[in-house]
Every structure is written in structure tokens, then in C-alpha cells.
Amino acid sequence: MRHSSGILRQDPRKEIAMPPLTKYFEIASSPVPVMRTSILMLIINALRDAGIDPRELLARNGIDPDIAKESYSVVEMERYLNLFEEVSALEGNKALGFELGLTCTPGQIGPLGLLFQALPTLRKAVLAFGNYLFAVQSHSSLTLNSDNDIAEIIYSLDVPQHWPCQQDVELTLALLINLIRERLGSQWHPIQVDFMHAPGKKAAMIRRRIGCPIFYRQPHNRILFDEQDLDDRRTMTDPDLIRILERHVCDLIGEEYAAQPFISTVMLAIRRCILAGNPSLASVARALYTSPRTLQRLLARENTTFRSMLDASRKELANIFEQRDGLNRDTLAYRIGYSDGSSLSRSRKRWKK
């Protein structure tokens, strides 16, 4: 069964059979977290630059040593994360992910990185990056919010809590900062950066290179910056190139995901916003390139409401997180966008009716 939302639905205690991981594999259909080799290549190239043959390390982590020959093939995310942490320890560099992200070029990311640079405004670029993130990895979300002249980009991974994510998170946020600098200039810097993990020995170096305050052990992995930056406009854009890149990205995601029915598309946007910590009507509408009023009107035509869809998504995610991660009531409530455990308890009573 295809689950294009990227949310893990199977019983985590059961072994899940992986489909063939090929160039034509559609990431959106994956029942387990996976990602494209284009991201893994950043680590492989770092090993080669250090004079280390990556083949043994790849094999030790259950990854085909010849995977680098096909940049569109897919690797299980857990193996990628474990490899990333091992390479970081091997090189004695706990900021490896950050350094790779800050030097990554749009072309190294693939069509998603090129599309980021091709779109006319930063707002469109960030929204497209979030909407098409499944082109390179599943079970993750990237959302854009703005309020009181401050914009924030939030990156979330929907994977078990014990998986090592620090290197990937630092890579992703640094990569986004670098992509924005490619558009706005090398001197651009955020207002603030937050990480969910604890600080490492190179925290001061990371702060210096980003050029803004950094806070650790925070509720979200996010980048805060001036909202005015979102509306920078490129003087020249190529609509034909944008269409080609978007078509290519959709091919990588999968036809079924790229052409979902309206309700399925809204449900996916709601889940992403829940995971990002801001499941408001305004946030979901923004992720869908529309206004809150228009979204409500379109949902009414489908004989449903935003509130009922949000409630259904929270119920589904609550069941997943409780069974998979064993979260207590208050932690679970926070993960699915409630202010406290009492709110979750009231919803559960309603769900049982």
C-alpha cells in the first residue's frame, strides 16, 4: 500500500520489506525513511578528500559500496544517519555536517537545489523546497512561517528518537543558509538559529560562520530571519527552466504524490505543519500557496473543515508516536501541536465516541 504522506504507519515491531531501491523508486511511496544518494555523496566525497576509501565504511553500515555510481538511487535513512555519525567521529569533526552544508552548491543537491535558485523570490524558493523535499528524502518536513516581521524555516524529521540526527540537521540548516546566501549575497546571515540537540565542541565556530546567535536544546530546528528577505526578486528568471526542473522533481517524488487529490494534498500539508510545531490554518494555507479564507472555502466544497482534518491528523499521529516512541502524555501532546496534556486527553475522549 502506498502512503504518500511519508508517515510511518506500520507496526514498528514488525520487519518492513523494502521495495527495490532504484533510480525509478518513488520516495513518496516508501514505508520506511529513505533518501537519495545525492545527499549521501556529500559524505562520500568528504571521505575521499580525506584520503579514505568509503567502500568499507559503506558496507559496514549496510550500504552498497557501489551506490555512488547512481546519484538517483535510494538508501535507508537510518543507515545514512549512522554512517554520517561514524564518519564525523572518524574525522574527529563533530561539525562535519555543518561544514558540508555550508559549502554545498545547488547543483550538488540536484534539481531541488537548482529550482531553489531559479524561482523569482526567496519565498517561492523556500516553499518549493519544502513542498518538494520528498524528491530527496521521505519522513521529513520543511515549513516556512512568518509573523511580526520575522520569518522562520523549520526542519523536522519523523524518525525514532534514538536515531542520531545531529549531523543531518546541521547539514540541512547550513545548506539552506548557503542557498539563501547564493541568492542574497555571501554577507547575509540569519537573526537566530535553533537546534534541538545539545551544543558540541565547535559551537563557537558554527556561531561565527553563521554570524548570529545560536541556541541549543530548543523545541525545533529552525532558522529565523527578516521577513523582508522573502520578497527579494530576481531580475531575470526562466519560466521554461522552472517548469523543466519542477517536472523533474515531480518525477523523482512519484506521479501519485505529485498529482494527489485536493483533500490528500491538504492532509499532507497539515501533517507537515504539525511536525513543524505550527498547525494553524494560516500556516497550512501558506504551505499550499493560498489564503486561509480560500482554503476554508475549498474545503467546504468537499464537505469538510480544516478543524476536522486537523483533528484527524492529530489522532493518526498520536497513535503512531505512542506506539513507536512510547511518549508520555505531555510529550505526545506537544509533538502533535497541543499546548498541554489535558488538551490531548479531551481530544482522546472525543475520538473514542
Side-chain angles (χ1 to χ4, degrees):
M1 181 178 295
R2 184 183 296 271
H3 300 301
S4 56
S5 66
I7 302 297
L8 182 64
R9 297 170 185 261
Q10 284 81 358
D11 185 337
R13 293 167 296 183
K14 296 179 181 179
E15 183 177 352
I16 302 174
M18 281 291 294
L21 303 183
T22 68
K23 176 177 179 178
Y24 302 103
F25 173 73
E26 297 174 352
I27 277 187
S29 70
S30 176
V32 297
V34 294
M35 61 197 313
R36 295 282 176 195
T37 310
S38 55
I39 303 300
L40 180 64
M41 282 302 301
L42 298 174
I43 307 172
I44 293 176
N45 289 334
L47 285 168
R48 289 171 175 165
D49 290 343
I52 301 172
D53 186 347
R55 294 177 60 84
E56 181 181 346
L57 279 170
L58 289 169
R60 188 158 67 233
N61 284 277
I63 301 172
D64 182 357
D66 294 322
I67 197 168
K69 295 179 180 179
E70 177 51 76
S71 61
Y72 287 125
S73 58
V74 179
V75 63
E76 292 179 53
M77 189 180 294
E78 183 178 16
R79 297 178 179 181
Y80 153 80
L81 293 173
N82 288 332
L83 174 69
F84 213 159
E85 294 295 331
E86 183 176 351
V87 173
S88 171
L90 183 65
E91 294 196 0
N93 183 3
K94 283 298 183 180
L96 177 63
F98 168 80
E99 293 178 354
L100 291 178
L102 212 56
T103 57
C104 183
T105 65
Q108 288 176 303
I109 306 169
L112 190 59
L114 297 174
L115 181 61
F116 192 97
Q117 298 305 320
L119 287 164
T121 66
L122 179 60
R123 185 186 302 274
K124 290 182 179 294
V126 175
L127 288 171
F129 198 97
N131 286 340
Y132 294 138
L133 185 59
F134 278 148
V136 292
Q137 64 188 64
S138 70
H139 293 70
S140 54
S141 67
L142 188 138
T143 56
L144 173 66
N145 308 306
S146 58
D147 187 34
N148 296 324
D149 300 324
I150 301 296
E152 66 173 1
I153 300 173
I154 298 178
Y155 174 60
S156 306
L157 284 171
D158 179 31
V159 298
Q161 290 184 319
H162 66 275
W163 286 14
C165 298
Q166 177 176 337
Q167 296 302 320
D168 175 77
V169 167
E170 291 189 2
L171 167 75
T172 303
L173 265 59
L175 181 153
L176 286 165
I177 290 171
N178 196 43
L179 287 175
I180 295 173
R181 285 176 173 172
E182 289 276 344
R183 294 183 64 104
L184 304 184
S186 59
Q187 299 306 309
W188 181 89
H189 58 80
I191 296 172
Q192 176 181 317
V193 172
D194 292 348
F195 291 115
M196 295 176 68
H197 56 261
K201 294 181 179 179
K202 293 195 173 185
M205 180 276 292
I206 293 176
R207 174 172 179 165
R208 185 175 64 255
R209 294 192 64 182
I210 292 180
C212 72
I214 300 179
F215 296 91
Y216 293 87
R217 299 189 179 94
Q218 298 301 302
H220 304 291
N221 301 302
R222 64 176 186 168
I223 302 169
L224 301 176
F225 57 99
D226 191 333
E227 185 181 15
Q228 291 183 348
D229 293 339
L230 289 172
D231 297 314
D232 81 294
R233 181 167 291 276
R234 290 201 178 280
T235 56
M236 295 184 62
T237 58
D238 187 339
D240 292 332
L241 174 61
I242 292 172
R243 280 194 292 270
I244 290 171
L245 290 171
E246 286 182 330
R247 180 67 264 170
H248 186 23
V249 169
C250 287
D251 286 343
L252 292 176
I253 293 173
E255 291 294 338
E256 182 172 331
Y257 172 84
Q260 291 183 77
F262 173 68
I263 291 298
S264 299
T265 304
V266 175
M267 187 67 81
L268 176 58
I270 290 174
R271 288 170 181 154
R272 286 180 174 175
C273 289
I274 290 173
L275 294 174
N278 188 13
S280 66
L281 173 63
S283 295
V284 174
R286 191 159 45 240
L288 295 169
Y289 297 91
T290 190
S291 68
R293 181 174 296 181
T294 299
L295 177 57
Q296 288 177 312
R297 186 175 67 253
L298 293 173
L299 290 175
R301 290 180 183 174
E302 300 288 338
N303 297 315
T304 188
T305 65
F306 174 77
R307 184 180 294 275
S308 65
M309 293 187 68
L310 175 60
D311 197 51
S313 294
R314 281 173 163 164
K315 179 181 179 180
E316 181 181 29
L317 289 174
N319 291 334
I320 292 168
F321 290 146
E322 191 169 42
Q323 293 176 14
R324 190 189 68 190
D325 297 334
L327 302 180
N328 61 41
R329 187 192 68 166
D330 290 341
T331 303
L332 178 59
Y334 180 80
R335 285 287 297 276
I336 61 175
Y338 287 111
S339 58
D340 53 50
S342 298
S343 299
L344 173 59
S345 295
R346 288 193 294 271
S347 292
R348 277 181 160 163
K349 289 179 181 179
R350 186 176 65 256
W351 296 337
K352 290 179 180 179
K353 292 181 181 179

